[in-house]
Amino acid sequence: MIILVLNCGSSSIKYQLIDTMQEIAVEKGVIERLDAGKFRQPLEELLGQFKDYKIDAVGHRVVHGGSQFYDARQINDEVSAAIRNCIPLAPLHNPANLAGIEAAQQLLPDLPQVAVFDTAFHARLPDKSATYAIDKELADSHGIRRYGFHGTSHAHVMEMTARFLGRPANELRLISCHLGNGASVCAIEFGHSVDTSMGMTPMEGLVMGTRAGDIDAGVVLKLARQLGIDAAEELLNRKSGLAGISGIGKDLRDIEQQAAAGNERARLAIAVFAQRVRKYIGAYAAEMGGVDAVILTGGIGQNSVQMRQRILQRFEFMGLSTNEDLNLDAQVSHEHPVVDISRPQARVRSLVVACNEELYIAKETERVVKGAHKVSQPGPIPIAVSARHAHLNQTALEALFGPGHQLTVLKNISQPGQYAAKECISLIGPRGRIDKVRILGPLRKETQVEISRSDEFKLGVDAPIRDSGNVRDSAPIVLEGPAGRLELSEGLICARRHIHMSPQDAAAYGVKDKDEVEVAIEGGPRDLVFGDVLVRVKDTYVLEMHIDTDEANAAELDGGMSGDLIYKDAPAGIHAALRERHVRD
Ligand code: ADP
């Protein structure tokens, strides 16, 4: 497809015409010095130059989609209204984005227009990452929370990294550092943004070209008192960061030159910038309990050899070490958008990745447009509620029940060959214990204990959300059986909600193993759409969605219920109605 990507700022239009098949921009440029919001005429002139191309759709970069859009959307009146509602959160950007959308709609009324949000990738941040520690009611009523930005960049480099490493994104833990004039870091755990350094606004986090990033709130209050609100805002947004510390300007090239010539403020600016990035890499590695690759992108990440070296040094303790020659030579290009600068033995890869937000916007636009034409005919999916349970391996079974012990079948459960055993164990956490936890057989290679969020609180543990079988670096737990105790250093998880399917079911639903889908629960007292539902396909699986007791309670589900699968990229027909309703709610 040929997609026109528009990024409308307050006085400029950045555009690219992208061939999504070849993943290249056939035309690109910037129209500058425009009157705020007056985009119709310049856009008309631009389209005049593109007469020879058959444009299929327009993708608009939209800065703020609030917390409701976790995906790109075809623009209709409702989506436009939602973008307008977010103006207070992005007063400079969203009005310009809307003006661009309106101009494009007027000039290209027959083409689908799609909004791709900077915030979407972060829209499902866990509450513990999104929440600021202030009065909860006040925060909720004023929409004060972490939204995060640069989502298109972080999502794009995640996809490029997965492609480069030859592994699906939902098996990887990544730390993406977008270092340009604006800068942010994102912790990406198995395909999802789980924390990011920009907050309610783009002012939080890293040191940037002209923004201070993290700063004691007391300093902000003091500046506001002494200088007045507007001057304080101007100072923190436009006169701080690299420019503020160095006194040279925001361009790192100039600062590096002066630093080499002995300028102390230039050296300090570089040191503070690098230290802040290092701090976030350490923090996010800790939050995710491990990391597979650290990604550097953006103008600074892609080009500054010196800054990369400063950021990535002395991380050997966590398995990351770079090769200086590779760092020196690293140059990303269209042919090589990812360059690995790690030493061969490094457990954690250091990657330089080309930032290409426009390509991501074009691909998302294509996905939405194609999805809109897909006709979906899914039948309902039966839902089973999994109470907390444990899968044991031979060693664990013998430690808990004595040597030579064998499990006794209590009853068979829905997936063929699986059974609930008569045996139960206790879970012991730092805060409390839970008895009578059922063991599910047969034995497995690795011991895995699955609990709900409420159980987590009872035990006083922090269990990561994981696909079944993926227990590396998960939480520790103590198990107790009649013959003894077993201290597991890992194995405790909150299971990701998932659907078991046979290959035939998968074909019928048009999904494949490891896809993520949504499932709508309708007709009960508390309708709900479950997002991030993992599809698991195997010959022996019987069609069934598994959720835990907390999730079932949230939707007030009891036995015999079922849900409707909603295609991630098919806002068509009845499922579009469900989806749109979910968006409004
Ligand atoms: P934006 O956030 O505006 O898109 P970019 O991603 O283009 O910004 O990054 C701009 C930053 O990249 C500037 O600070 C610039 O100094 C820096 N940069 C670009 N090339 C180099 C280079 N060769 N060495 C050091 N810094 C560079």
Side-chain angles (χ1 to χ4, degrees):
M1 275 190 170
I2 300 286
I3 309 284
L4 174 62
V5 175
L6 294 178
N7 177 358
C8 296
S10 53
S11 62
S12 70
I13 302 176
K14 286 192 194 138
Y15 62 87
Q16 290 200 7
L17 206 53
I18 291 187
D19 177 339
T20 53
M21 201 57 162
Q22 301 191 58
E23 302 196 340
I24 51 166
V26 287
E27 302 278 351
K28 65 172 158 185
V30 193
I31 316 172
E32 287 177 303
R33 298 208 189 90
L34 301 173
D35 288 337
K38 298 231 167 69
F39 296 147
R40 197 190 149 119
Q41 198 196 335
L43 205 55
E44 195 164 10
E45 287 168 16
L46 184 70
L47 291 171
Q49 297 168 28
F50 294 163
K51 274 198 306 290
D52 296 341
Y53 295 101
K54 192 195 148 295
I55 301 174
D56 295 295
V58 187
H60 296 266
R61 175 190 183 209
V62 178
V63 166
H64 221 304
S67 48
Q68 75 189 103
F69 292 117
Y70 46 83
D71 237 340
R73 286 300 152 88
Q74 184 145 353
I75 299 169
N76 54 24
D77 291 348
E78 233 171 88
V79 172
S80 294
I83 298 172
R84 196 162 295 117
N85 285 340
C86 290
I87 288 178
L89 295 166
L92 298 179
H93 294 100
N94 272 31
N97 300 155
L98 269 175
I101 289 170
E102 276 159 23
Q105 282 175 327
Q106 286 164 12
L107 293 164
L108 300 165
D110 299 329
L111 289 192
Q113 315 261 340
V114 174
V116 183
F117 303 94
D118 263 17
T119 46
F121 190 52
H122 310 295
R124 284 167 168 166
L125 281 178
D127 287 345
K128 60 187 172 192
S129 301
T131 303
Y132 289 114
I134 61 170
D135 182 283
K136 179 90 172 67
E137 276 175 21
L138 183 101
D140 289 348
S141 63
H142 288 76
I144 298 176
R145 49 159 282 171
R146 180 180 309 287
Y147 293 101
F149 299 88
H150 286 148
T152 50
S153 172
H154 294 304
H156 177 70
V157 297
M158 168 187 84
E159 286 181 3
M160 299 310 284
T161 298
R163 206 191 276 184
F164 178 80
L165 296 175
R167 293 174 63 188
N170 58 17
E171 284 181 6
L172 295 168
R173 283 172 294 179
L174 307 172
I175 298 176
S176 160
C177 310
H178 176 105
L179 312 177
N181 280 319
S184 72
V185 193
C186 182
I188 307 174
E189 191 173 26
F190 307 130
H192 295 270
S193 165
V194 292
D195 207 350
T196 189
S197 60
M198 281 180 169
M200 185 182 88
T201 73
M203 286 176 73
E204 193 181 349
L206 298 180
V207 175
M208 307 181 211
T210 62
R211 295 190 196 116
D214 292 340
I215 191 165
D216 176 359
V219 175
V220 182
L221 297 175
K222 182 179 162 73
L223 290 172
R225 269 196 208 102
Q226 288 190 339
L227 307 175
I229 298 283
D230 292 341
E233 183 174 2
E234 171 80 4
L235 182 85
L236 291 169
N237 244 328
R238 300 193 196 282
K239 296 181 182 160
S240 300
L242 289 174
I245 305 176
S246 72
I248 293 166
K250 64 176 183 179
D251 197 309
L252 183 66
R253 280 165 293 202
D254 301 334
I255 299 170
E256 285 182 346
Q257 222 170 36
Q258 298 268 333
N263 181 321
E264 283 303 328
R265 279 178 64 177
R267 289 181 177 179
L268 183 63
I270 291 170
V272 176
F273 185 99
Q275 160 121 324
R276 188 80 53 87
V277 182
R278 290 176 57 76
K279 193 158 144 180
Y280 272 98
I281 292 174
Y284 287 172
E287 271 187 34
M288 294 192 287
V291 53
D292 297 296
V294 172
I295 299 161
L296 298 181
T297 188
I300 295 175
Q302 286 167 223
N303 298 304
S304 175
V305 173
Q306 197 190 117
M307 192 57 88
R308 283 200 299 260
Q309 195 267 336
R310 269 178 182 276
I311 290 170
L312 297 174
Q313 62 183 306
R314 296 199 297 128
F315 270 124
E316 282 77 8
F317 72 91
M318 60 175 227
L320 182 155
S321 67
T322 54
N323 175 313
E324 256 329 288
D325 290 335
L326 292 177
N327 180 33
L328 200 64
D329 294 340
Q331 193 58 61
V332 291
S333 61
H334 177 65
E335 287 72 33
H336 300 286
V338 182
V339 176
D340 189 341
I341 59 169
S342 326
R343 292 228 175 99
Q345 75 274 19
R347 217 169 3 96
V348 179
R349 310 314 292 173
S350 309
L351 305 175
V352 182
V353 181
C355 176
N356 196 339
E357 294 171 277
E358 292 79 9
L359 175 59
Y360 183 80
I361 293 172
K363 282 170 37 185
E364 282 289 284
T365 302
E366 178 180 41
R367 188 177 64 74
V368 170
V369 171
K370 280 191 174 162
H373 300 300
K374 217 192 255 173
V375 181
S376 49
Q377 302 174 312
I381 294 173
I383 295 178
V385 182
S386 309
R388 63 181 82 95
H389 62 269
H391 302 275
L392 301 184
N393 63 14
Q394 187 72 37
T395 325
L397 180 73
E398 297 199 356
L400 298 166
F401 292 91
H405 188 89
Q406 297 213 331
L407 289 176
T408 334
V409 178
L410 175 68
K411 62 169 187 204
N412 288 322
I413 54 177
S414 56
Q415 296 305 319
Q418 304 271 313
Y419 59 89
K422 280 203 175 121
E423 288 83 350
C424 288
I425 53 170
S426 300
L427 309 180
I428 302 167
R431 189 165 179 272
R433 63 184 284 145
I434 298 178
D435 297 318
K436 297 203 180 108
V437 176
R438 184 71 57 197
I439 295 172
L440 299 190
L443 295 180
R444 290 193 177 181
K445 270 217 292 286
E446 281 181 297
T447 296
Q448 171 177 315
V449 182
E450 300 176 33
I451 60 170
S452 70
R453 284 283 182 234
S454 310
D455 295 342
E456 195 182 38
F457 197 74
K458 223 178 281 171
L459 295 167
V461 293
D462 192 6
I465 295 178
R466 289 290 178 82
D467 318 343
S468 182
N470 178 5
V471 294
R472 183 165 66 98
D473 298 331
S474 57
I477 186 72
V478 177
L479 310 183
E480 191 180 79
R485 280 191 176 194
L486 177 66
E487 286 186 25
L488 291 180
S489 61
E490 59 183 28
L492 185 72
I493 64 170
C494 275
R496 261 180 84 177
R497 33 187 178 257
H498 54 272
I499 307 175
H500 291 274
M501 285 190 188
S502 67
Q504 293 75 14
D505 293 326
Y509 282 98
V511 295
K512 57 185 188 314
D513 193 37
K514 299 210 167 131
D515 273 0
E516 277 174 17
V517 295
E518 294 171 0
V519 173
I521 312 296
E522 264 224 304
R526 291 169 88 188
D527 290 354
L528 192 67
V529 174
F530 286 113
D532 305 329
V533 183
L534 187 74
V535 172
R536 300 179 56 193
V537 181
K538 217 178 194 176
D539 286 338
T540 53
Y541 283 162
V542 171
L543 184 67
E544 193 169 68
M545 169 161 162
H546 287 184
I547 57 178
D548 71 21
T549 41
D550 283 356
E551 293 167 327
N553 287 342
E556 289 196 23
L557 282 173
D558 43 29
M561 291 286 286
S562 57
D564 288 305
L565 190 143
I566 307 176
Y567 288 98
K568 192 167 156 53
D569 50 4
I574 175 180
H575 299 283
L578 281 171
R579 187 184 184 115
E580 292 306 327
R581 201 188 55 215
H582 170 56
V583 168
R584 273 205 310 281
D585 295 347

